């Protein structure tokens, strides 16, 4: 079974595409949102619940798994799918983002990045070749190149140097990959260049020459204004091949997903639905619910009357608020189930809208404020 | 539907009874282990999982619910069953044990007990009448009297004074109950008297006169040697009516349950399976598993090959250990599911053994060490 991507339909009124990723662990309809399973587990979400929600792909973090339990141990135990007992698709990031997030703990050279474990302070080193090798050990279906995630704001010279480094690393990843590629799995490149259109263009061109199986847009959702993010996405997408899947990393809110899909993005990941759930921030068809708010103390309604998740079918806002304030484990379980249901249901609705050539109407409603769903989310 | 208890069969070789509790929220086969749902939720165990495990009754803590969200709020929201969306039976303790556990925060008078909230330090007062009223507000199927849980060790004079106080409080609870009792729910008395057989006898007699719907043995599993606990249970059970359910509070290990059932106990509650699960202590048919142990790091076997729970059907010891060490929410979910399955499956086996008049054989195997199951647990 070869890795592949097909565009099945293009929305008439927008740049959105309906597609499917073919992976060794099943097909994934796109546009898709990938729940984040940092350490080989989506926080507070059982595999059974993910399957019931028809999640076809999750993201796992190379950095975390490398440190604990270790990629060599996971390989010995049959790879990540076997280790975590998940037989659907897995995308792993390169670990770069986590390493770069701990600024005081790392130093970057041409060769790669030296860093200290956030767990025990031990020293490690990631090179482009090594992160490809680690992800191969894990058995990821989709492998990401090591990149230098340019922080925001970055001056032009810094952004250029950072992008150029990422491009040299991407080439090294591609070469490492060539030695092990049997066509069943995918290596994705990552466009960098901060908020500078010409740098993004040069980055996309450099990656285009390397013929990756998919293309990601990195270095966004790192603190820049929302309008600027959309500008970059809008100007970068046309630089990417029509035939390949396009992945906007680390984005975003429900409204971000609708808008980015309309610009031609196919794949997303973000900790927002899961992390927000645990922090008491719940997404509903009627807007956000901050569950700790006293107004919910005696509210017997379901969290979202339009949601069919087990949480909404059974529990009241009053009970969820009580579980949250009491620090009960179940709060995380029920709230995560709801927020992920909201996200994955929304992606289903997005795919339906593309199929009907009506995503543009959805966008129009959003702009007029006539559609409550992602408005204030 | 009247509250009731029937003894269906007595084990030929031991004092064990097979029975059934009739409650307004369904029948409960006995002997029964009641999972502890302190704040209106069994920690890390969804209601759906409890139902799938055929848990017919859970215990909730009056003290915790009184402080948060408050019994008046729960009553306003339709009672605890409605509030937490659980339509099976609920037993609530009187709150006494929690209050007495926080020794520096409380003072006891003839009238009742003054205490401070462990949450915010606010002052409260529990009288026997008030705890009955609180539990009525909650809508508990089985209500416990307020008692003074005598600590261990206690000198004879202290134990006697404490027991006498508990008996005066039991009478006041009984009188309060008489004013609201419609026969659908149950009020249980609690035998105290520490490790002194004559005090236990006087306590049982005092309670016998008050005609409770069931009788509990309190003040055990509070630090006394195990043999002494068994002595007290063995000498106290014959003092209790054959017709009424007998509840050994706060006990215990798997071996404790088998032995106590053989002495004639019908009901148990304990945080052991749930708390131990979260702390990495897992019960299996082959003995305990301390999941953090390095020996499990690459152990691909299920936690317990003889267990049919979702955890054992799907996940390896290596993965569970990884989730534990990573502090993942899911560890608590999967481990609690397993430990409670172990306990509830054991209770089913105990009931089967009584039905077959063979609980004595099980005890014999335990004593010879020929039955690994509860031996070292």
């Amino acid at each position: 079974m070869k890795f592949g991507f097909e565009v099945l339909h293009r929305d008439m009124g927008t740049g959105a595409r309906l597609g499917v990723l073919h992976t060794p662990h099943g097909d994934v309809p796109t546009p898709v949102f990938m729940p984040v399973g940092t350490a080989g587990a989506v926080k507070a979400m059982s595999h059974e619940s993910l399957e019931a929600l028809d999640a076809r792909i999750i993201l796992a973090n190379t950095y975390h798994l490398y440190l604990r339990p270790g990629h060599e141990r996971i390989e010995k135990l049959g790879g990540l799918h076997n280790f975590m007992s998940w037989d659907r698709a897995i995308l792993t990031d390169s670990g770069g983002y986590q390493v770069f997030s701990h600024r005081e703990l790392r130093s970057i050279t041409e060769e790669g990045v030296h860093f200290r474990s956030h767990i025990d302070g031990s020293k490690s080193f990631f090179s482009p070749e090594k992160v490809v090798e680690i992800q191969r050990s894990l058995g990821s279906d989709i492998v990401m190149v090591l990149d230098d995630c340019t922080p925001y704001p970055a001056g032009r010279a810094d952004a250029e140097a950072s992008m150029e480094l990422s491009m040299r690393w991407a080439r090294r990843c591609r070469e490492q990959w060539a030695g092990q590629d049997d066509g069943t799995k995918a290596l994705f490149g990552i466009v960098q260049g901060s908020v500078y259109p010409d740098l993004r263009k040069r980055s996309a061109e450099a990656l285009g020459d390397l013929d990756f199986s998919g293309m990601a847009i990195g270095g966004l959702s790192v603190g820049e204004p929302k309008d600027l993010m959309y500008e970059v996405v809008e100007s970068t997408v046309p630089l990417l091949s029509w035939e390949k899947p396009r992945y906007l990393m680390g984005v975003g809110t429900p409204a971000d997903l609708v808008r980015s899909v309309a610009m031609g993005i196919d794949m997303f990941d973000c900790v927002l639905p899961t992390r927000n759930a645990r922090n008491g921030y719940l997404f509903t068809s009627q807007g956000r619910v901050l569950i700790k708010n006293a107004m919910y103390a005696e509210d017997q309604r379901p969290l979202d009357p339009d949601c069919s998740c087990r949480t909404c079918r059974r529990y009241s806002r009053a009970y969820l608020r009580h579980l949250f304030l009491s620090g009960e484990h179940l709060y995380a379980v029920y709230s995560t189930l709801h927020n992920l249901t909201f996200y994955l249901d929304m992606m289903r609705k997005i795919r339906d809208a593309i199929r009907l050539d009506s995503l543009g109407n959805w966008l129009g409603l959003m702009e007029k404020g006539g559609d409550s769903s992602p408005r204030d989310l």
Side-chain angles (χ1 to χ4, degrees), chain A residues 2 4 41 66 72 78 83 90 94 97 137 154 164 179 183 192 225 323 350:
Chain A
K2 292 273 174 198
Y66 165 81
E72 286 161 351
F83 174 65
I90 298 175
S94 67
Y97 184 80
S137 303
E164 297 281 7
Q192 289 288 349
L323 295 180
I350 285 174

Side-chain angles (χ1 to χ4, degrees), chain A residues 53 307 309 336-346 348:
Chain A
L53 201 49
C307 178
C309 81
T336 301
L337 177 67
H338 170 76
N339 270 4
L340 274 184
T341 300
F342 184 87
Y343 264 63
L344 269 62
D345 278 352
M346 189 179 67
R348 271 183 280 273

Side-chain angles (χ1 to χ4, degrees), chain A residues 50-256:
Chain A
L50 285 168
E51 288 161 354
L53 201 49
D54 201 26
R56 300 287 185 93
I57 183 169
I58 60 173
L59 178 147
N61 289 119
T62 294
Y63 168 81
H64 290 279
L65 294 170
Y66 165 81
L67 292 178
R68 186 170 57 197
H71 62 294
E72 286 161 351
R73 173 164 287 161
I74 289 178
E75 182 171 25
K76 194 170 166 188
L77 295 173
L80 183 57
H81 290 85
N82 195 54
F83 174 65
M84 66 182 284
S85 187
W86 173 258
D87 64 6
R88 301 187 177 191
I90 298 175
L91 178 148
T92 45
D93 65 5
S94 67
Y97 184 80
Q98 276 75 31
V99 169
F100 298 117
S101 300
H102 301 119
R103 286 203 207 177
E104 69 290 0
L105 297 176
R106 49 91 174 150
S107 71
I108 302 172
T109 67
E110 180 64 31
E111 188 51 31
V113 55
H114 294 268
F115 61 97
R116 284 180 180 277
S117 159
H118 74 285
I119 300 170
D120 62 7
S122 61
K123 290 183 185 175
S124 287
F125 175 68
F126 274 177
S127 67
E129 293 80 10
K130 185 165 175 185
V131 300
V132 169
E133 174 56 21
I134 294 171
Q135 292 176 81
R136 188 204 55 73
S137 303
L138 296 174
S140 315
D141 298 294
I142 300 178
V143 169
M144 301 302 296
V145 298
L146 183 66
D147 63 337
D148 179 25
C149 184
T150 314
Y152 181 86
R156 205 195 133 78
D158 286 347
E160 182 170 18
S162 165
M163 182 275 283
E164 297 281 7
L165 179 63
S166 287
M167 294 309 101
R168 291 191 298 276
W169 285 358
R171 181 174 295 274
R172 287 166 56 190
C173 285
R174 187 69 190 79
E175 282 162 10
Q176 178 71 19
W177 183 254
Q180 61 178 63
D181 179 25
D182 63 2
T184 62
K185 306 200 167 179
L187 178 70
F188 278 29
I190 305 176
V191 178
Q192 289 288 349
S194 189
V195 297
Y196 304 99
D198 61 319
L199 297 184
R200 289 277 172 185
K201 185 159 188 289
R202 274 169 50 198
S203 178
E205 286 167 356
L207 296 173
D209 293 342
L210 295 172
D211 195 26
F212 289 100
S213 298
M215 294 284 274
I217 302 177
L220 291 180
S221 205
V222 291
E224 77 283 2
K226 193 72 92 178
D227 287 348
L228 204 47
M229 180 186 92
Y230 286 128
E231 273 179 39
V232 173
V233 173
E234 192 158 30
S235 62
T236 303
V237 165
L239 309 172
L240 307 178
S241 162
W242 174 261
E243 285 75 27
K244 292 177 182 174
R246 303 158 177 168
Y247 165 25
L248 180 55
M249 302 179 81
V251 173
T253 65
D256 289 340

Side-chain angles (χ1 to χ4, degrees), chain A residues 4 45 95 243 266 270 308:
Chain A
M45 188 78 180
E243 285 75 27
D266 307 299
C270 192
S308 64

